Amino acid sequence: MHRTSMGPIVSASTALVATVAFACAGCTTNGPTPAAAPTAPALEPATASVPAQASGNPVSAADVQALWAPVAAAAAEGGYVAWGTVVDAQTGEVLLDADASVAHTTASTTKTLAAFSALTHLDPTVTLATSALLGGDNQTLYLDSEGDLLLGAGTSEDTDVSGRAGLQTLANDTAAALAQRGVTSVTLNWRGTLFDGASHLSSWDAQEVGSYEGHVGPMAIDAGRTFEGANDFYADAPGHVAQVFASALTSAGVSVSLGEAGEPPAGASPLASVSSAPMGEQLRWMLAHSDNTLADQYCRFAARAAGAPTTYEGATSTIESTLTSAGIPTDGLFLEDCSGLSSNDKISANTLVGVLKASYTGQGTGADTIRLLPWAGLVGTLSQRMNEAPAAGNVQAKTGSLQEVTSLSGSVRTRSGRLLLVSIGNDQVTDGAYATRGYLDAFEEGLAGLN
């Protein structure tokens, strides 16, 4: 959390976002489109977490296909589809092509596309400000935010990633600034919208996964959850933030009446501000914890920076155009969201591995994507998977999980140090995909064990 206390000092920065959710989520909110997010046309290429030169012993396609055989056999026996591809990162040789050109539902591995788009269009060093501003009448206080859904938190280093601590800090600093001005009573208004179109997809509710994602918008505590760890979100997260902020101000000695949602007037005087963690840190956190709301929030910011509508359609079309511009194949690509929560989303293994290849080679400004993925046995949704040698610390991947889908997309380092790019999954598992993900883990462990 970055804190800025302002008597008559100014607030702000501009850009990007935060949120929380797991993988497996209707409501419409329209409002003004805020100022354009800062773009990052000159991001330096990432220094990948792998060497640029070829290293380790080459891996044979026969060995990879032998490791894949149990995955394919289990799928045939279970009546579902196993898909995937493995590519030698150094040479580009395709070592496995299992239905790789066909688009499948890939669940949260979709977030690698979201991260690539965000890193292409947005500056990972930028933070988001949430500010309190006082109207010219000295009686109306405005709570404004650039899209921070964790209100100053959002990285793995934070002890409180909900944002409550940041909001409390903002309230304390605001109360102190009001006291300096002799103001003891205010009406609190707040920003209620940030993007165009729906803030939550109705198709998620139709698929009975609507409780796994909150609402995109200007601000939220814990991405809008009703309590820590909940798969239940406030329909009006900014309004809830305003209520909590008002309560904190009251405790600090300010008499507060709740007003209404709206934009602060021009010329409102900044009193205090808190800032989020940098965008790059929040994207790392999003990928590690498979945060659905954060993924869709960042996609809206990327769309705005790219000059597209700040709707779900604008966000997903920005992903597709970004991939195409980077030379990544998009055959069969169809997205309703950027989180992978909708089972209507379809992506091929070739598209997923294409993002990894572009990132590995430092192509474009989305090159940080591969570096931000969680590590097996160590981080986030992979912390309890593949947590023994040789895979632990040698598999870096984004997980995906829906009722009928399990997937992984990332990299594997072999015993000799060869880097492989791997996108794999099981789709249409009508008996439940959770029980089949062991086959995918065993495949990755087998790759890590190759000499």
Side-chain angles (χ1 to χ4, degrees):
M1 175 178 71
H2 303 280
R3 170 182 179 181
T4 306
S5 184
M6 302 179 264
I9 303 185
V10 188
S11 68
S13 43
T14 4
L16 252 303
V17 95
T19 32
V20 172
F22 179 53
C24 241
C27 213
T28 303
T29 314
N30 295 313
T33 302
T39 58
L43 285 180
E44 293 184 5
T47 302
S49 54
V50 293
Q53 296 80 24
S55 61
N57 301 322
V59 172
S60 75
D63 285 344
V64 174
Q65 289 160 8
L67 291 171
W68 182 254
V71 184
E77 183 178 352
Y80 57 87
V81 177
W83 55 266
T85 188
V86 177
V87 175
D88 186 308
Q90 284 87 9
T91 67
E93 180 186 358
V94 177
L95 304 173
L96 174 72
D97 182 341
D99 219 16
S101 63
V102 177
H104 297 279
T105 298
T106 68
S108 282
T109 53
T110 303
K111 292 181 176 70
T112 60
L113 278 61
F116 189 85
S117 180
L119 288 166
T120 297
H121 297 287
L122 297 149
D123 184 343
T125 67
V126 171
T127 60
L128 299 167
T130 299
S131 307
L133 306 95
L134 186 63
D137 58 4
N138 279 349
Q139 297 177 348
T140 309
L141 189 66
Y142 297 89
L143 183 60
D144 194 22
S145 182
E146 297 171 337
D148 191 359
L149 301 188
L150 298 179
L151 293 170
T155 71
S156 56
E157 291 79 15
D158 289 320
T159 55
D160 171 27
V161 295
S162 72
R164 288 186 180 275
L167 191 63
Q168 183 65 57
T169 296
L170 181 63
N172 293 341
D173 291 349
T174 300
L178 289 171
Q180 290 178 354
R181 294 169 180 247
V183 178
T184 60
S185 178
V186 294
T187 296
L188 178 63
N189 294 338
W190 63 93
R191 180 180 287 278
T193 59
L194 194 63
F195 306 119
D196 296 323
S199 64
H200 195 81
L201 279 182
S202 57
S203 59
W204 294 333
D205 295 323
Q207 296 166 21
E208 299 183 349
V209 294
S211 63
Y212 288 89
E213 183 163 340
H215 294 256
V216 294
M219 54 187 165
I221 296 169
D222 197 9
R225 284 182 174 77
T226 55
F227 59 88
E228 185 178 355
N231 287 325
D232 189 24
F233 296 82
Y234 289 102
D236 180 13
H240 175 248
V241 171
Q243 291 177 357
V244 176
F245 186 63
S247 178
L249 284 174
T250 299
S251 297
V254 181
S255 177
V256 183
S257 298
L258 279 175
E260 60 186 7
E263 289 187 271
S269 177
L271 298 180
S273 179
V274 292
S275 296
S276 71
M279 184 199 82
E281 286 297 309
Q282 296 224 5
L283 281 172
R284 183 190 301 277
W285 194 87
M286 178 272 287
L287 291 167
H289 299 280
S290 201
D291 187 321
N292 292 322
T293 321
L294 185 54
D296 278 307
Q297 185 90 345
Y298 271 118
C299 269
R300 296 289 185 102
F301 282 111
R304 188 175 69 185
T310 58
T311 59
Y312 281 103
E313 293 81 4
T316 56
S317 65
T318 298
I319 283 184
E320 183 167 7
S321 63
T322 301
L323 298 180
T324 299
S325 296
I328 297 168
T330 59
D331 293 346
L333 179 67
F334 177 80
L335 297 175
E336 284 190 334
D337 56 39
C338 302
S339 62
L341 188 56
S342 173
S343 57
N344 294 329
D345 295 339
K346 303 293 180 183
I347 309 173
S348 74
N350 285 343
T351 296
L352 288 169
V353 87
V355 168
L356 301 174
K357 289 168 65 177
S359 180
Y360 173 77
T361 59
Q363 178 180 339
T365 52
D368 272 333
T369 305
I370 197 169
R371 297 198 313 169
L372 302 183
L373 299 176
W375 293 92
L378 298 172
V379 178
T381 56
L382 275 184
S383 61
Q384 301 302 314
R385 294 175 63 176
M386 296 175 277
N387 53 9
E388 295 181 0
N394 286 315
V395 171
Q396 191 176 14
K398 179 68 197 78
T399 59
S401 178
L402 287 170
Q403 177 62 27
E404 295 188 358
V405 176
T406 183
S407 59
L408 290 165
S409 187
S411 64
V412 177
R413 188 187 297 278
T414 68
R415 287 188 185 275
S416 68
R418 197 74 171 187
L419 194 86
L420 307 176
L421 305 178
V422 184
S423 295
I424 54 176
N426 293 326
D427 190 12
Q428 303 173 36
V429 191
T430 55
D431 291 335
Y434 180 86
T436 73
R437 75 181 190 182
Y439 291 105
L440 303 185
D441 289 4
F443 177 68
E444 301 256 356
E445 289 166 344
L447 293 176
L450 292 175
N451 287 316

Coordinates of all heavy atoms in Angstrom, one line a residue, residues 237-304:
A237 N -20.5 -3.1 -5.2 CA -19.3 -3.0 -4.4 C -18.8 -1.6 -4.1 O -18.4 -1.3 -2.9 CB -18.2 -3.8 -5.1
P238 N -18.9 -0.6 -5.0 CA -18.5 0.7 -4.6 C -19.4 1.3 -3.5 O -18.9 2.0 -2.7 CB -18.7 1.5 -6.0 CG -18.6 0.5 -7.0 CD -19.2 -0.7 -6.4
G239 N -20.7 1.0 -3.6 CA -21.6 1.5 -2.5 C -21.2 0.9 -1.2 O -21.3 1.6 -0.1
H240 N -20.8 -0.4 -1.2 CA -20.4 -1.0 0.1 C -19.1 -0.3 0.6 O -19.0 -0.1 1.8 CB -20.2 -2.5 -0.1 CG -19.6 -3.2 1.1 ND1 -18.3 -3.7 1.1 CD2 -20.1 -3.4 2.3 CE1 -18.1 -4.2 2.3 NE2 -19.2 -4.1 3.0
V241 N -18.2 0.0 -0.3 CA -17.0 0.7 0.1 C -17.3 2.0 0.7 O -16.7 2.4 1.8 CB -16.0 0.9 -1.1 CG1 -14.9 1.8 -0.7 CG2 -15.5 -0.4 -1.6
A242 N -18.3 2.7 0.1 CA -18.7 4.0 0.7 C -19.2 3.9 2.1 O -18.9 4.7 3.0 CB -19.7 4.7 -0.2
Q243 N -20.0 2.8 2.3 CA -20.6 2.6 3.7 C -19.5 2.3 4.7 O -19.5 2.9 5.8 CB -21.5 1.4 3.6 CG -22.8 1.6 2.9 CD -23.7 0.4 2.8 OE1 -23.3 -0.7 3.2 NE2 -24.8 0.6 2.2
V244 N -18.5 1.5 4.3 CA -17.4 1.2 5.2 C -16.5 2.4 5.5 O -16.1 2.7 6.6 CB -16.5 0.0 4.7 CG1 -15.3 -0.2 5.5 CG2 -17.3 -1.3 4.5
F245 N -16.3 3.2 4.4 CA -15.5 4.4 4.6 C -16.2 5.4 5.5 O -15.6 6.0 6.3 CB -15.3 5.0 3.2 CG -14.4 6.2 3.1 CD1 -13.1 6.1 3.5 CD2 -14.9 7.5 2.7 CE1 -12.2 7.2 3.5 CE2 -14.0 8.6 2.7 CZ -12.7 8.4 3.1
A246 N -17.6 5.5 5.3 CA -18.3 6.4 6.1 C -18.3 6.0 7.6 O -18.1 6.9 8.5 CB -19.8 6.4 5.7
S247 N -18.3 4.7 7.9 CA -18.2 4.2 9.2 C -16.9 4.5 9.8 O -16.8 4.9 11.0 CB -18.5 2.7 9.2 OG -18.4 2.2 10.5
A248 N -15.8 4.4 9.0 CA -14.5 4.7 9.5 C -14.3 6.2 9.8 O -13.7 6.5 10.8 CB -13.4 4.2 8.5
L249 N -14.9 7.0 9.0 CA -14.8 8.4 9.2 C -15.6 8.8 10.5 O -15.1 9.7 11.3 CB -15.4 9.2 8.0 CG -14.6 9.3 6.8 CD1 -15.4 10.0 5.6 CD2 -13.3 10.1 7.0
T250 N -16.7 8.2 10.7 CA -17.5 8.4 11.9 C -16.7 8.1 13.1 O -16.7 8.8 14.1 CB -18.8 7.6 11.9 OG1 -19.6 8.0 10.7 CG2 -19.6 7.9 13.1
S251 N -16.0 6.9 13.1 CA -15.2 6.5 14.2 C -14.0 7.5 14.5 O -13.5 7.6 15.6 CB -14.6 5.1 14.0 OG -15.6 4.2 13.9
A252 N -13.6 8.2 13.4 CA -12.6 9.2 13.5 C -13.1 10.6 13.9 O -12.3 11.5 13.9 CB -11.8 9.3 12.2
G253 N -14.4 10.7 14.2 CA -14.9 11.9 14.7 C -15.6 12.8 13.7 O -16.0 14.0 13.9
V254 N -15.9 12.3 12.5 CA -16.6 13.1 11.4 C -18.0 12.6 11.3 O -18.2 11.4 11.2 CB -15.8 12.9 10.1 CG1 -16.6 13.8 9.0 CG2 -14.4 13.4 10.2
S255 N -18.9 13.5 11.3 CA -20.3 13.2 11.1 C -20.6 13.0 9.6 O -20.3 13.9 8.8 CB -21.3 14.3 11.7 OG -22.6 13.9 11.5
V256 N -21.1 11.8 9.2 CA -21.2 11.5 7.8 C -22.6 11.1 7.5 O -23.2 10.2 8.1 CB -20.3 10.4 7.4 CG1 -20.4 10.1 5.9 CG2 -18.8 10.7 7.8
S257 N -23.2 11.7 6.4 CA -24.4 11.2 5.8 C -24.1 10.7 4.4 O -23.4 11.3 3.6 CB -25.4 12.4 5.7 OG -25.7 13.0 6.9
L258 N -24.6 9.5 4.1 CA -24.4 8.9 2.8 C -25.2 9.6 1.7 O -26.4 9.8 1.9 CB -24.8 7.4 2.8 CG -23.7 6.5 3.4 CD1 -24.3 5.0 3.4 CD2 -22.4 6.5 2.6
G259 N -24.6 10.0 0.6 CA -25.2 10.6 -0.5 C -25.6 9.7 -1.6 O -26.4 8.8 -1.4
E260 N -24.9 9.8 -2.7 CA -25.2 9.0 -3.9 C -24.0 8.8 -4.7 O -23.0 9.5 -4.6 CB -26.4 9.6 -4.7 CG -26.0 11.0 -5.2 CD -27.1 11.7 -5.9 OE1 -28.3 11.2 -5.8 OE2 -26.9 12.8 -6.5
A261 N -24.1 7.8 -5.6 CA -23.1 7.6 -6.6 C -23.0 8.6 -7.6 O -24.0 9.1 -8.1 CB -23.2 6.2 -7.2
G262 N -21.8 9.0 -8.0 CA -21.7 10.0 -9.1 C -20.2 10.5 -9.2 O -19.4 10.1 -8.4
E263 N -19.9 11.2 -10.2 CA -18.5 11.7 -10.4 C -18.3 12.9 -9.6 O -19.2 13.8 -9.4 CB -18.3 12.1 -11.9 CG -18.2 10.9 -12.8 CD -17.9 11.4 -14.2 OE1 -18.8 11.7 -15.0 OE2 -16.6 11.4 -14.5
P264 N -17.1 13.1 -9.0 CA -16.7 14.3 -8.3 C -16.7 15.5 -9.3 O -16.3 15.4 -10.4 CB -15.3 14.0 -7.8 CG -14.8 13.0 -8.6 CD -15.9 12.2 -9.1
P265 N -17.1 16.7 -8.8 CA -17.1 17.8 -9.7 C -15.7 18.3 -10.0 O -14.7 18.1 -9.2 CB -17.9 18.9 -8.8 CG -17.6 18.5 -7.4 CD -17.5 17.0 -7.4
A266 N -15.5 19.0 -11.1 CA -14.2 19.6 -11.4 C -13.9 20.6 -10.3 O -14.7 21.4 -9.8 CB -14.3 20.3 -12.7
G267 N -12.6 20.6 -9.9 CA -12.2 21.6 -8.9 C -12.3 21.1 -7.5 O -12.0 21.8 -6.5
A268 N -12.8 19.8 -7.3 CA -12.9 19.3 -5.9 C -11.5 19.2 -5.3 O -10.5 18.9 -6.0 CB -13.6 18.0 -5.9
S269 N -11.3 19.5 -4.1 CA -10.0 19.6 -3.5 C -9.5 18.3 -2.9 O -10.2 17.7 -2.0 CB -10.0 20.7 -2.3 OG -8.8 20.7 -1.7
P270 N -8.4 17.7 -3.4 CA -7.9 16.4 -2.8 C -7.5 16.6 -1.4 O -6.8 17.5 -1.0 CB -6.7 16.1 -3.7 CG -6.9 17.0 -4.9 CD -7.6 18.2 -4.5
L271 N -7.9 15.6 -0.6 CA -7.5 15.6 0.8 C -6.5 14.5 1.2 O -5.6 14.7 1.9 CB -8.8 15.4 1.7 CG -9.9 16.4 1.6 CD1 -11.0 16.1 2.6 CD2 -9.3 17.8 2.0
A272 N -6.7 13.3 0.7 CA -5.8 12.2 1.0 C -6.0 11.1 -0.1 O -7.0 11.1 -0.8 CB -6.2 11.6 2.4
S273 N -5.0 10.2 -0.2 CA -5.0 9.2 -1.2 C -4.2 8.0 -0.8 O -3.3 8.1 0.0 CB -4.5 9.8 -2.5 OG -4.5 8.8 -3.5
V274 N -4.7 6.8 -1.2 CA -3.8 5.6 -1.1 C -3.7 5.0 -2.5 O -4.6 5.1 -3.3 CB -4.4 4.6 -0.1 CG1 -4.4 5.1 1.3 CG2 -5.9 4.2 -0.5
S275 N -2.6 4.3 -2.7 CA -2.4 3.7 -4.1 C -2.2 2.2 -4.0 O -1.7 1.7 -3.0 CB -1.1 4.3 -4.7 OG -1.3 5.7 -4.9
S276 N -2.6 1.6 -5.0 CA -2.4 0.1 -5.1 C -1.0 -0.3 -5.3 O -0.1 0.5 -5.5 CB -3.2 -0.4 -6.3 OG -2.6 0.0 -7.5
A277 N -0.7 -1.6 -5.2 CA 0.6 -2.1 -5.6 C 0.7 -1.9 -7.2 O -0.3 -1.7 -7.8 CB 0.6 -3.6 -5.3
P278 N 1.9 -1.9 -7.7 CA 2.1 -1.7 -9.1 C 1.3 -2.8 -9.9 O 1.1 -3.9 -9.5 CB 3.6 -1.9 -9.3 CG 4.2 -1.5 -8.0 CD 3.2 -2.0 -7.0
M279 N 0.9 -2.4 -11.1 CA 0.2 -3.3 -12.0 C 0.8 -4.7 -12.2 O 0.2 -5.7 -12.2 CB 0.0 -2.7 -13.3 CG -0.9 -3.5 -14.3 SD -0.7 -3.0 -16.0 CE 0.8 -3.9 -16.4
G280 N 2.2 -4.7 -12.4 CA 2.8 -6.0 -12.6 C 2.7 -6.9 -11.4 O 2.5 -8.1 -11.6
E281 N 2.8 -6.3 -10.2 CA 2.6 -7.1 -9.0 C 1.2 -7.7 -8.9 O 0.9 -8.8 -8.5 CB 2.9 -6.3 -7.7 CG 4.4 -6.1 -7.5 CD 5.2 -7.4 -7.3 OE1 4.7 -8.2 -6.5 OE2 6.1 -7.6 -8.0
Q282 N 0.2 -6.8 -9.3 CA -1.2 -7.3 -9.2 C -1.5 -8.4 -10.2 O -2.2 -9.3 -10.0 CB -2.1 -6.1 -9.4 CG -2.0 -5.1 -8.2 CD -3.3 -4.6 -7.7 OE1 -4.3 -5.0 -8.1 NE2 -3.2 -3.6 -6.8
L283 N -0.8 -8.2 -11.4 CA -1.0 -9.3 -12.4 C -0.4 -10.6 -11.9 O -1.0 -11.7 -12.2 CB -0.4 -8.9 -13.7 CG -1.2 -7.9 -14.6 CD1 -0.4 -7.4 -15.8 CD2 -2.5 -8.6 -15.1
R284 N 0.8 -10.5 -11.3 CA 1.4 -11.7 -10.7 C 0.4 -12.4 -9.7 O 0.2 -13.6 -9.7 CB 2.7 -11.4 -10.1 CG 3.5 -12.6 -9.5 CD 4.7 -12.2 -8.7 NE 5.6 -11.4 -9.4 CZ 6.6 -11.9 -10.2 NH1 6.7 -13.2 -10.4 NH2 7.4 -11.1 -10.8
W285 N -0.2 -11.5 -8.9 CA -1.1 -12.0 -7.9 C -2.3 -12.6 -8.5 O -2.8 -13.7 -8.1 CB -1.5 -10.9 -6.9 CG -2.1 -11.3 -5.7 CD1 -1.5 -11.6 -4.5 CD2 -3.5 -11.4 -5.4 NE1 -2.5 -12.0 -3.5 CE2 -3.7 -11.8 -4.1 CE3 -4.7 -11.2 -6.2 CZ2 -5.0 -12.0 -3.5 CZ3 -5.9 -11.4 -5.7 CH2 -6.0 -11.8 -4.3
M286 N -2.8 -12.0 -9.5 CA -4.0 -12.5 -10.3 C -3.7 -13.9 -10.8 O -4.6 -14.8 -10.7 CB -4.4 -11.5 -11.4 CG -5.6 -12.0 -12.3 SD -5.1 -13.1 -13.7 CE -4.3 -11.9 -14.8
L287 N -2.6 -14.1 -11.4 CA -2.2 -15.4 -12.0 C -2.0 -16.4 -11.0 O -2.4 -17.6 -11.1 CB -1.0 -15.2 -12.9 CG -1.2 -14.4 -14.2 CD1 0.1 -14.1 -14.9 CD2 -2.1 -15.2 -15.2
A288 N -1.3 -16.1 -9.9 CA -1.0 -17.0 -8.8 C -2.3 -17.5 -8.2 O -2.4 -18.7 -7.8 CB -0.1 -16.4 -7.8
H289 N -3.3 -16.6 -7.9 CA -4.5 -17.0 -7.2 C -5.7 -17.2 -8.1 O -6.8 -17.4 -7.6 CB -4.7 -16.0 -6.1 CG -3.6 -15.8 -5.1 ND1 -3.5 -16.7 -4.1 CD2 -2.6 -15.0 -5.0 CE1 -2.4 -16.4 -3.4 NE2 -1.8 -15.3 -4.0
S290 N -5.5 -17.2 -9.4 CA -6.5 -17.4 -10.4 C -7.7 -16.5 -10.1 O -8.9 -16.9 -9.9 CB -7.0 -18.8 -10.4 OG -7.6 -19.1 -11.6
D291 N -7.4 -15.2 -10.0 CA -8.4 -14.2 -9.6 C -9.3 -13.8 -10.8 O -8.8 -13.0 -11.7 CB -7.7 -13.0 -9.0 CG -8.6 -11.9 -8.5 OD1 -9.6 -11.7 -9.1 OD2 -8.2 -11.4 -7.4
N292 N -10.5 -14.2 -10.8 CA -11.4 -14.0 -12.0 C -11.7 -12.5 -12.2 O -11.6 -12.0 -13.3 CB -12.7 -14.7 -11.8 CG -12.5 -16.2 -11.9 OD1 -11.7 -16.7 -12.7 ND2 -13.2 -17.0 -11.1
T293 N -12.1 -11.8 -11.1 CA -12.5 -10.4 -11.3 C -11.4 -9.6 -11.7 O -11.5 -8.7 -12.5 CB -13.1 -9.9 -9.9 OG1 -13.8 -10.9 -9.3 CG2 -13.9 -8.7 -10.2
L294 N -10.2 -9.8 -11.2 CA -9.0 -9.0 -11.5 C -8.7 -9.2 -13.0 O -8.3 -8.3 -13.7 CB -7.8 -9.4 -10.7 CG -6.5 -8.6 -10.9 CD1 -6.8 -7.2 -10.7 CD2 -5.5 -9.1 -9.9
A295 N -8.8 -10.4 -13.5 CA -8.5 -10.7 -14.9 C -9.4 -9.9 -15.8 O -9.0 -9.3 -16.8 CB -8.7 -12.2 -15.2
D296 N -10.7 -9.9 -15.5 CA -11.7 -9.1 -16.3 C -11.5 -7.6 -16.2 O -11.7 -6.8 -17.1 CB -13.1 -9.5 -16.1 CG -13.5 -10.8 -16.8 OD1 -13.3 -10.8 -18.0 OD2 -13.9 -11.8 -16.2
Q297 N -11.1 -7.2 -15.0 CA -10.8 -5.8 -14.7 C -9.7 -5.3 -15.6 O -9.7 -4.2 -16.2 CB -10.5 -5.5 -13.2 CG -10.4 -4.1 -12.9 CD -11.6 -3.4 -12.4 OE1 -12.7 -3.9 -12.7 NE2 -11.5 -2.3 -11.8
Y298 N -8.6 -6.0 -15.6 CA -7.4 -5.7 -16.4 C -7.7 -5.6 -17.9 O -7.2 -4.8 -18.6 CB -6.2 -6.6 -16.1 CG -5.4 -6.2 -15.0 CD1 -5.2 -7.0 -13.8 CD2 -4.7 -5.0 -15.0 CE1 -4.4 -6.6 -12.8 CE2 -3.9 -4.6 -14.0 CZ -3.7 -5.4 -12.9 OH -2.9 -4.9 -11.8
C299 N -8.6 -6.5 -18.3 CA -8.9 -6.6 -19.7 C -9.7 -5.3 -20.1 O -9.5 -4.8 -21.2 CB -9.8 -7.8 -20.0 SG -8.8 -9.2 -20.5
R300 N -10.5 -4.8 -19.2 CA -11.2 -3.5 -19.5 C -10.2 -2.4 -19.6 O -10.3 -1.5 -20.5 CB -12.2 -3.2 -18.4 CG -13.4 -4.2 -18.2 CD -14.4 -4.1 -19.3 NE -15.5 -5.0 -19.1 CZ -16.7 -4.6 -18.6 NH1 -16.9 -3.3 -18.4 NH2 -17.7 -5.5 -18.4
F301 N -9.2 -2.4 -18.7 CA -8.2 -1.3 -18.8 C -7.4 -1.4 -20.1 O -7.1 -0.4 -20.8 CB -7.3 -1.4 -17.6 CG -7.8 -0.8 -16.4 CD1 -8.1 -1.6 -15.3 CD2 -8.0 0.6 -16.3 CE1 -8.6 -1.0 -14.1 CE2 -8.5 1.1 -15.1 CZ -8.8 0.3 -14.0
A302 N -7.1 -2.6 -20.5 CA -6.3 -2.9 -21.7 C -7.2 -2.4 -22.9 O -6.6 -1.8 -23.9 CB -6.0 -4.3 -21.9
A303 N -8.5 -2.7 -22.9 CA -9.3 -2.3 -24.0 C -9.4 -0.8 -24.1 O -9.3 -0.2 -25.2 CB -10.8 -2.8 -23.8
R304 N -9.5 -0.1 -22.9 CA -9.5 1.4 -22.9 C -8.2 1.9 -23.5 O -8.3 2.9 -24.3 CB -9.8 1.9 -21.5 CG -10.0 3.4 -21.4 CD -10.4 3.8 -20.0 NE -9.2 3.7 -19.1 CZ -9.3 3.9 -17.8 NH1 -10.4 4.2 -17.3 NH2 -8.2 3.8 -17.1

